[in-house]
Amino acid sequence: MKAATWTGVNEVSVEDVPEPTLLNDRDVILKISQSVTCGSDLHLIGGYIPFMRAGDVMGHEFIGEVVEVGKEVRDRKVGDRVVVAPFAACGSCWYCKQELYSLCDNGNPNPGITEGLWGQSPGGCFGYSHAMGGCAGSHAEFMRVPYADVGTFVVPEGVSDTRALFASDAASTGWMGADLAGTEPGDVVAVWGAGGVGQMAARAAMLLGAEQVVVIDRVPERLAQVRDNVGAEAVDYTTTDVIAELRERTGGRGPDVCLEAVGMEAHAPGAPGIYDQVKQQLRLQTDRPTAVREAIMACRKGGTVFTLGVFAAMVDKFPLGAAMNKGLTLRGAQVHAQRYIPELLERMRRDELVTEHLATHVMPLTDAPEGYRLFKEKEDGCVRAVFLP
Amino acid sequence: MELPAIVSRAGGALLSTLQHVRLPGVGQASVTDDPTTAAHRWRAVTVLKAPDQVGSSASPPPPLDRLGDRVEVRISAAPGDKGTELAARFLGTPTDDEIGELRAALREAKQRLETGEVLRVDPQPHGFRKPTPQGAALEGMTDQADKEGVL
């Protein structure tokens, strides 16, 4: 079968690879209908997460049809149209029982790598390096999904593939941030990053009752989507002093909730951006935390900052003093998608949550290298590239 | 031994070393132990099952039982309704390979008890593996990954 694979730093190739097989009794095999690029893939492509092996199949946000089921699968059958959580979670460990699915104790067969890096191992993510379990990704014609009863969700009639596709990660990640940050009616919520996750975080905050939602980015097409498709306010940080703007919009308080949806390759203009780039390239820090720093400084006293963007290890010049003295709550997580997908699919069915506009570039899987190039360079208004195997 | 095998073995050794490094922001708790003390520590997983479902010190769950009388096993209720702590330590002075064997056994016992299976990832689809030193080192790491870590 055809699959899009990581073949080296800044190299994605489409190759012929063997078809997957059932490996565990709780597995299903899916025929992938759509699989989409995610901003976190760019960290793999850029070589910032050095646990990819040449030939690894990428992709973790996808929808497909069940074509084969393991003998212990109870709730899925051949022919089901399902959207799938990016993290393989067993559903049986203490973390899964707390609905912290991306922390599953049993979903990562390579715990020794991440325990060394982080002290404990999170769960395993499809197509996201051997540090995160090494399970093959979804940019392929077929894919094996373990723990299928826990991680796959039947898509309701009337919800299109392209809409449901984003329940997998972008919408569930955004919703998780707004929810776990404690967004309440009347809150002011600021979101850094107007990609798929940032837009969905903004929409989630609105649906949870936020009074004002402001999204910060620099890409005109994305800021336009924030205004036109999400219904939130948009701020261009290249032409606006973000912290001053947020202070002015909030009566001097700052946002109640700050959601960071940028991650470890944040762009920053001027000297601060150069400083972070140099330190990252010299391996004196692994991640560029520009947006997190700004969120901490902007957040109101006693507010919450939630990091949705992916970070790998260490950052420099982290304003811990501001976080402590302002009494902030800092949180972050990989997506606990299993917790949110059922509700998101229902909201999609009711047209409360619309995502099709994120799929700016829909193309055959064989065009995946070009899709990633457009996505990485943000060319031609690319917000997400969707691959059709 | 051919060069790729040497590099692969070096990757596994690197992963082992990573568990024992303390740099600002990187490292783990037992690093200040001398090797003998570290080797004799209890190593434990918490299983979301009642203690009687996990087993007993005299009859530990598989595959931990294969370590026989080389290890002492302790099974006790975890606080806060978190299940059962399944712990083991060597009676003699173990080698690094034996400690790795114990880590893997504890993890596998937990998985079997909680999920009824051991998650597999191989074989699975992949494209052409370029024979690079970095790739060989990573393969060495993944070969050792169930036997390493802070456990």
Side-chain angles (χ1 to χ4, degrees):
Chain A
M1 67 173 183
K2 296 288 184 196
T5 65
W6 184 92
T7 46
V9 174
N10 291 320
E11 283 183 22
V12 176
S13 301
V14 176
E15 296 184 77
D16 286 312
V17 308
E19 290 188 7
T21 56
L22 297 171
L23 297 178
N24 286 95
D25 291 342
R26 297 170 65 185
D27 293 354
V28 295
I29 303 292
L30 294 189
K31 183 177 190 299
I32 302 295
S33 4
Q34 298 191 7
S35 184
V36 60
T37 58
C38 173
S40 60
D41 293 338
L42 299 180
H43 313 324
L44 303 177
I45 291 173
Y48 293 101
I49 297 177
F51 296 100
M52 290 294 280
R53 181 79 174 92
D56 285 346
V57 181
M58 300 182 66
H60 59 263
E61 187 166 12
F62 56 103
I63 183 170
E65 179 187 333
V66 177
V67 294
E68 196 175 352
V69 297
K71 61 185 180 185
E72 292 297 325
V73 174
R74 298 284 176 259
D75 300 326
R76 298 292 172 266
K77 61 183 187 306
V78 171
D80 282 349
R81 184 173 65 123
V82 294
V83 65
V84 183
F87 275 75
C90 72
S92 307
C93 69
W94 185 84
Y95 291 98
C96 286
K97 294 297 185 188
Q98 310 307 306
E99 296 189 299
L100 302 171
Y101 293 98
S102 70
L103 305 180
C104 175
D105 270 341
N106 298 310
N108 184 346
N110 296 329
I113 298 175
T114 40
E115 283 185 11
L117 290 170
W118 301 323
Q120 273 88 26
S121 173
C125 182
F126 301 117
Y128 210 80
S129 88
H130 294 270
M132 301 299 276
C135 278
S138 57
H139 294 340
E141 294 177 71
F142 295 93
M143 181 179 171
R144 168 237 181 185
V145 178
Y147 305 132
D149 284 332
V150 181
T152 68
F153 299 85
V154 175
V155 178
E157 288 295 318
V159 177
S160 72
D161 279 2
T162 304
R163 181 175 294 187
L165 169 66
F166 293 100
S168 174
D169 189 359
S172 51
T173 301
W175 198 278
M176 177 186 72
D179 178 41
L180 296 187
T183 304
E184 294 184 347
D187 277 352
V188 177
V189 176
V191 181
W192 276 258
V197 171
Q199 290 192 35
M200 292 297 102
R203 183 63 185 152
M206 293 168 67
L207 290 169
L208 289 169
E211 182 80 16
Q212 185 183 4
V213 179
V214 181
V215 181
I216 300 141
D217 205 300
R218 69 183 163 120
V219 180
E221 296 87 350
R222 296 183 178 199
L223 292 170
Q225 286 195 338
V226 166
R227 286 187 290 267
D228 300 341
N229 298 97
V230 176
E233 298 172 44
V235 168
D236 182 344
Y237 70 80
T238 62
T239 58
T240 308
D241 181 331
V242 170
I243 295 178
E245 178 74 15
L246 291 172
R247 197 184 303 124
E248 189 175 275
R249 286 171 180 247
T250 59
R253 300 184 308 279
D256 303 285
V257 170
C258 295
L259 305 174
E260 185 274 349
V262 178
M264 62 188 287
E265 292 182 73
H267 166 267
I274 295 169
Y275 171 85
D276 275 328
Q277 281 277 8
V278 168
K279 290 211 72 164
Q280 190 178 38
Q281 296 308 318
L282 292 175
R283 302 296 185 259
L284 296 173
Q285 66 175 356
T286 57
D287 306 3
R288 304 199 299 265
T290 316
V292 185
R293 288 193 196 113
E294 194 165 80
I296 288 172
M297 298 308 290
C299 193
R300 77 153 164 82
K301 293 183 286 185
T304 298
V305 175
F306 201 107
T307 58
L308 295 168
V310 168
F311 289 87
M314 290 179 287
V315 299
D316 190 18
K317 302 292 183 290
F318 186 78
L320 188 58
M324 182 271 161
N325 286 287
K326 294 205 300 181
L328 302 185
T329 299
L330 300 182
R331 288 195 74 169
Q334 294 277 10
V335 65
H336 308 308
Q338 289 88 339
R339 177 172 178 164
Y340 296 103
I341 288 175
E343 177 183 354
L344 294 174
L345 289 173
E346 179 55 25
R347 287 183 183 271
M348 286 174 169
R349 192 186 63 77
R350 297 200 302 258
D351 294 328
E352 291 176 6
L353 189 62
V354 175
T355 61
E356 286 91 338
H357 66 281
L358 299 175
T360 52
H361 293 69
V362 180
M363 57 188 68
L365 177 64
T366 47
D367 290 345
E370 175 63 3
Y372 268 111
R373 192 192 66 77
L374 290 168
F375 180 53
K376 178 173 182 171
E377 302 302 328
K378 301 179 177 62
E379 275 187 23
D380 193 33
C382 185
V383 176
R384 289 292 185 94
V386 175
F387 305 136
L388 308 176
Chain B
M1 187 182 291
E2 293 184 359
L3 185 60
I6 294 170
V7 176
S8 178
R9 178 173 281 193
L14 180 65
L15 181 60
S16 174
T17 303
L18 180 64
Q19 323 302 329
H20 300 283
V21 170
R22 177 172 282 179
L23 293 172
V26 178
Q28 52 97 10
S30 67
V31 72
T32 56
D33 281 345
D34 63 83
T36 304
T37 304
H40 285 99
R41 277 194 180 276
W42 287 97
R43 298 174 194 282
V45 291
T46 301
V47 184
L48 193 59
K49 292 284 179 186
D52 63 339
Q53 294 174 292
V54 173
S56 66
S57 300
S59 178
L64 195 56
D65 56 350
R66 285 190 220 142
L67 297 178
D69 57 9
R70 286 187 290 157
V71 297
E72 178 183 7
V73 174
R74 184 176 69 193
I75 293 174
S76 55
D81 293 327
K82 289 187 174 65
T84 298
E85 295 174 4
L86 171 61
R89 66 178 175 185
F90 281 96
L91 294 170
T93 300
T95 63
D96 285 349
D97 285 345
E98 286 178 311
I99 294 172
E101 187 184 0
L102 174 56
R103 289 191 185 106
L106 284 165
R107 288 172 174 141
E108 185 174 330
K110 173 182 163 71
Q111 270 205 51
R112 287 190 189 188
L113 287 161
E114 289 183 336
T115 75
E117 62 181 18
V118 178
L119 183 62
R120 293 176 56 196
V121 288
D122 293 316
Q124 64 173 322
H126 66 76
F128 175 65
R129 301 288 201 204
K130 284 183 200 167
T132 62
Q134 184 183 351
L138 180 56
E139 285 180 2
M141 284 190 186
T142 54
D143 282 347
Q144 291 297 313
D146 64 332
K147 303 179 188 68
E148 290 294 345
V150 299
L151 179 61

